[in-house]
Amino acid sequence: QAAASQSERLEAQNAELQIEIEGLQEQILHLNAKRRLPKMTNGTEDDATALAEQFGWNVRVRRRYSTASAGSILSQLPSPGTMMRHEALVTIVVAKKIPKAPDVIGLRKGRAVDAVKQAGYRVAISHELSTEKPGTVIAMSPGGGTRLIPGNTLSITIAKKAPPPPPTPPPPPEPNCTPGYDPCLPPASDY
């Protein structure tokens, strides 16, 4: 009876091991399986991440400024239809919203330049005669609030004091003439 009991235990252990082996074989098949990479450019970053987790792919995300919806996939590598193994790398380029240029009209030159640079833009400065307070920004191109990719140049125009008006010429001297004579005869003792 002890031998029968031991035999039953061994059969139970063997059955458990068989189940474990089948599970491991299934995992190995899953890991070695190749699947076609679907077209991802009609989806979002979240869609691509979920798909990669499902099939065991690695995803590298690159972001690029675009007018497309933020988070949408602009391109993928490898191309759709490529056979992919477990842990293969998929690179997706995801749309990033283009920021708005800061509005610096009315700011002093130093503050305006700092604001433009902090927003990630280059600055081109010009000066123009104006009745506005000298040293303040009186124009910018493109305008504040315009969507502009960082790294581009934003031009600002600074008010320059108008030169003082030229002095008014003195009035012409009054002629010193003897009354009653034409042309003018300077006063003399006798004509």
Side-chain angles (χ1 to χ4, degrees):
Q1 206 176 31
S5 173
Q6 188 173 356
S7 175
E8 285 176 13
R9 263 197 336 261
L10 287 174
E11 282 181 27
Q13 285 178 342
N14 188 27
E16 285 176 16
L17 285 173
Q18 203 59 32
I19 291 170
E20 223 176 288
I21 288 169
E22 286 173 9
L24 290 172
Q25 286 174 335
E26 194 173 307
Q27 285 180 357
I28 290 168
L29 284 174
H30 177 73
L31 292 175
N32 289 332
K34 288 184 177 182
R35 291 187 170 72
R36 287 196 186 282
L37 181 64
K39 179 179 179 182
M40 296 179 157
T41 52
N42 54 359
T44 65
E45 179 181 353
D46 292 339
D47 297 336
T49 303
L51 189 66
E53 285 177 10
Q54 178 183 351
F55 295 120
W57 299 328
N58 294 314
V59 177
R60 178 188 311 146
V61 178
R62 294 198 171 135
R63 300 187 191 287
R64 185 174 76 208
Y65 290 110
S66 173
T67 55
S69 300
S72 62
I73 299 173
L74 303 172
S75 64
Q76 72 183 72
L77 193 66
S79 58
T82 302
M83 295 301 286
M84 303 285 289
R85 287 189 176 275
H86 184 77
E87 294 190 357
L89 179 65
V90 178
T91 301
I92 56 173
V93 177
V94 176
K96 184 163 68 166
K97 192 173 188 176
I98 299 171
K100 292 180 180 180
D103 187 355
V104 295
I105 291 179
L107 296 180
R108 302 288 295 160
K109 178 182 174 182
R111 287 188 60 209
V113 169
D114 288 346
V116 169
K117 286 183 176 179
Q118 284 178 359
Y121 303 104
R122 292 185 298 233
V123 184
I125 300 171
S126 61
H127 295 85
E128 187 177 294
L129 295 177
S130 174
T131 56
E132 298 294 323
K133 186 175 182 181
T136 59
V137 178
I138 55 173
M140 61 185 292
S141 177
T146 302
R147 295 220 176 263
L148 185 65
I149 295 174
N152 283 315
T153 300
L154 203 144
S155 299
I156 60 173
T157 304
I158 309 295
K160 184 165 85 171
K161 185 177 180 179
T168 51
E174 293 214 12
N176 191 8
C177 298
T178 303
Y181 290 95
D182 189 22
C184 175
L185 295 174
S189 58
D190 188 17
Y191 284 109

